[in-house]
Amino acid sequence: MRREGAARARGLRTDYCGELGPEDVGRTVSVCGWVSRRREHGEHLAFVDLRDHTGIIQCVVDGGHDIRAEHVIKVTGELRLRPEGTVNEAIPTGEVEVGASEVEILSVAEPPPFSVDGRIAAEEQVRLRYRYVDLRRERMQANLRLRAQVNAAIRRSMERQGFVEIETPLLWTPTPEGAREFAIPSRLQPGSFYVLPQSPQIAKQLLMLSGFDRYYQIARCMRDEDLRADRQFEFTQLDLEASFVRQEDLWEVVSDSVLEVARSVTGKEPPPVETMTWSEALERFGTDKPDLRFKMELVRLEEAVAGTGFKAFQAEAVRALCLKGGAELGRGRLDALTDRAKKLGAAGLVWLRVLRQSDGLALESPVAKFLSDKEKAAVVAATGAEEGDLLLVVAGERARSCRVLGQLRLDLAQPAVSEPPYRFCWITEFPLFEGLDDDGNPVAAHHPFTMPHPDDLDRLESDPLSVRSQSYDLVLNGWELGSGSIRIHRADIQRRIFSVLGISEQEAESRFGFLLGAFRYGAPPHGGFAYGIDRLAALMAGEESIREVIAFPKTQSGADLMAESPRALPERQLEELGLRLLPRPEAKSPG
RNA sequence: GGACCUGUGGUGCAGCUCGGAGUGCACGCCGGCCUGUCAAGCCGGAGGUCGCGGGUUCAAAUCCCGUCAGGUCCGCCA
């Protein structure tokens, strides 16, 4: 438990509270911290549980001191074994206590707005308003320290692999694509604006053209989009880019870093990162971010019901889920599932209970009468269903049917997202384009500098929607951690992409000018990746929201309840920036 | 932009369906007692615009409308 490196930096104290033990008995020690709890026994005896970031130590003090919860005090005295029968097995320092000869009150505290010991869980609203108190709690101390451990593991991995840490500007220039940006008015050039980077994407590609070969940065990114449990305005990514590499090389680099993180946090060797194509993920799990911790994969039934007389199953795709033991679900529950499927975009949901009959398994369902015995048998065989299971079938367009079942799979069987094990997975071969915009032009799925799959290059113009890209996502337990791609470094291919996207040469020049310009001076083949450290740290900490691993997060309406941002600026400051406010339709009054 | 959940002494809850005096529980707080506790114990006490505004009603924490705040989600996040 003792940390040698910290020994010289203990300052006012000789020891940390949580590190004292029987081996220290007999020493005169000084400990500093916050009063976690006091137990008074009259004029001459009181117990004080003193807390610092390492833990809690019991101090035995004279009852005359006015020592209250969260007072900051320094206690000096001899460390001794607790008397027989008074050992507290519930805490690591429970065998010893400080017999206080001197108590110094370093500062007094008002009663905290909620309990620091976590006995009663305060509402998030209250926690955020008094975040400095909230962060004293064991949970938040552990979370933020775990996050620091994640950062350290990432740096270890990147340095080991020869990456160079380079900082890029926070005051950047507006880019037309992607997320909404935060704008910063220029004082020296009134009317002009910087923006905060939504990612260092362009900067890091330029660093490749500059010959740095391997760049990384633990980078803050800002996106002015609506907030969620896994999304804040500002978040932190491991951002990296490498030259003269193939996708496989990057997967290895990134896998090394996340496995180093998992190893460091869990103390165990994590399972290797798996890989599957986007198309396979959709077929097997009905999503591009599969949760591999549990099976219940989607099943193809097209062959089993080929040539069926049942109209609903005469569709492009007929897919099923088998819910183990689901036959006992009541009618109300099944109706709710059907509603859910419809809300998700399915035409309907067919359920079949798998029951035992004298001569084998039988299917009980409102539509059983429309299926032949042979079809029923084929369905049972294809799904591997056993007595007591429930089959859920969606028929219709392929991608939609898979996605509906993919969501039902999560609804019915997904464990808490932060529960181990940690099953990292690469999703590869994303489509280059996703659908068409209002003008009938394909829309870039990743960004317009993503290199197409070499085997599909000749279909770029003839059948763009079938073209795969060299882009890839990293997924952990159903959460998208990040994405990356091999970039286009050749002008001819970039021209063809812009042409397919319906972007003219002039438009490309004005929108991506300085990047395209830089490419004219010698661009190495390169590619990169970025993943969210907030999300990774949250999952590693067993949290469902990234706010629990961020010291001072914003609420869903973008407010900091402690700092009370955002706020109005004084008129003088606006003037200096060359800004004038439009009248607001209505003033917000505090509730 | 939209859907749903939540808002009651400092904290966490119950009360709301079926309207009848701010009623209750746990923690905390203040005072007293208490020399081996550790969620200390015992006795006493203080503390409330029921988020805010409007409506219905003889009467609203409770029903209705609006609004604000927090959360979850859809849209959005190349």
Side-chain angles (χ1 to χ4, degrees), chain A residues 122-129 131 545 547-548 553 561:
Chain A
E123 235 177 58
E124 195 167 2
Q125 202 168 347
V126 183
R127 293 173 53 204
L128 289 178
R129 179 132 138 257
R131 190 60 156 179
S545 160
R547 293 188 299 275
E548 303 296 346
L561 298 179

Side-chain angles (χ1 to χ4, degrees), chain A residues 393-459:
Chain A
V393 186
V394 170
E397 188 254 330
R398 187 185 76 104
R400 176 174 298 242
S401 304
C402 290
R403 284 184 197 284
V404 170
L405 285 173
Q407 187 57 54
L408 292 180
R409 171 178 178 268
L410 295 179
D411 291 352
L412 290 167
Q414 189 180 30
V417 69
S418 58
E419 235 169 66
Y422 299 107
R423 296 282 299 269
F424 293 97
C425 182
W426 286 107
I427 307 297
T428 68
E429 296 181 18
F430 274 75
L432 189 60
F433 305 105
E434 50 179 16
L436 305 172
D437 66 15
D438 296 338
D439 302 329
N441 293 314
V443 179
H446 191 52
H447 60 62
F449 312 111
T450 305
M451 185 71 98
H453 194 290
D455 297 349
D456 299 353
L457 209 45
D458 52 356
R459 294 200 307 276

Side-chain angles (χ1 to χ4, degrees), chain A residues 330-343 349 408:
Chain A
R331 195 56 192 255
R333 193 71 212 289
L334 295 170
D335 287 346
L337 278 174
T338 305
D339 285 348
R340 174 76 172 145
K342 284 179 179 165
K343 225 172 238 153
L349 179 72
L408 292 180

Side-chain angles (χ1 to χ4, degrees), chain A residues 176-207:
Chain A
E177 302 277 314
R180 189 180 297 114
E181 295 163 323
F182 284 97
I184 308 291
S186 160
R187 174 178 59 87
L188 297 178
Q189 299 182 36
S192 290
F193 295 82
Y194 305 95
V195 303
L196 301 177
Q198 38 177 304
S199 83
Q201 179 64 36
I202 291 175
K204 70 175 173 179
Q205 288 193 243
L206 295 175
L207 290 170

Side-chain angles (χ1 to χ4, degrees), chain A residues 92-110:
Chain A
T93 61
E95 288 179 80
V96 295
E97 63 189 12
V98 177
S101 52
E102 196 185 328
V103 175
E104 189 181 346
I105 295 183
L106 302 173
S107 80
V108 299
E110 290 176 22

